[in-house]
Amino acid sequence: MFLATIPSPDRGVWHLGPIPIRAYALCIIAGIILAIWWGDRRWVQRGGTKGTVVDIAVWAVPFGLVGGRLYHVITDWWRYFGEGKDPVKALYIWDGGLGIWGAIALGAVGAWIGCRRKGVPLPAMADAIAPGIVVAQAIGRLGNYFNQELYGAHTTLPWGLEIYQRFDPNNPTIPDQGPNGIAFGHIPLADSPVHPTFLYELIWNLLIAALVVYADRKMRLGHGRAFALYVAGYTLGRFWIELMRTDDATHIVGLRVNTWTSILVFAGAMVYFVLARRRGPREAPETLRSKDDDTEKVAPERE
């Protein structure tokens, strides 16, 4: 049966001398780079100034990382606070634990600051970076694969994910299912194989990115509607994926907190998508030029 399943990596951290190389961190960094690169291309295609997305990312990325960690710590506070817990670990962002809701919310604050400084409209910028963000989320889910986290219940499907007992790298007799553990001997856990919900979300995110690009080209979405479509599509998928997950999480009235968040954010995104249509056609290219751009204005590229 092993050959009919997906094996998990035996570890999520390697060491280059004293320096830890963390798969989760590498995936996050790769996703950010791709989102900035693609977002800048889309911004220029819409008539904006090349490099503006990079300048705004200087604000948005740090805010987003802090927001993502805050959301995770607030909703999963019991992991870090209480008897026998170490509150300092709430700062260990490299061990995993970023809530996309907090990352988007506080990242938007950083983006707003950046847009104000550059003199460009935030909704238009959000539309440009929307597909890149959701692809970045897909890449980030590969980090969960290496950390052996975010999986569902037992399954007999051929794409079931094998999950292994991991141990302290310095003492193979001590279990350690955290990101620093190593799967000595590849001993399957009791529920293995399980639904690879990280993979379901990865695939869903790529489909949403394709949907946003297609709808944006066909409907010439503007005023934040492409971003709203991304949010609505992502939360729709996150809703059913959350129902499949079995990892520890905070529950409210029987449902995981992220399930409730998905419902509320989906509703808000759909309302915005409909109402923003009243603002008219997509923003004119000349309104997207950075206020400090002194180059000759040129016609935007065709998407």
Side-chain angles (χ1 to χ4, degrees), residues 122-135:
L122 176 61
M125 177 59 65
D127 286 337
I129 63 176
I133 289 178
V134 73
V135 171

Side-chain angles (χ1 to χ4, degrees), residues 7 56 75 101 120 139 145 157 183 185 198 214 242 264 267 287 303:
I56 292 173
T75 55
W101 321 109
V120 298
I139 296 173
Y145 171 57
L157 293 171
F198 82 89
Y214 176 80
E242 282 290 330
L264 295 174
T287 67
E303 291 189 70

Side-chain angles (χ1 to χ4, degrees), residues 31-32 34-36 38-39 42 128-139 209 213:
I32 291 172
L34 183 142
I36 293 173
W38 192 8
R42 283 174 52 84
I129 63 176
I133 289 178
V134 73
V135 171
Q137 291 175 234
I139 296 173
V213 170

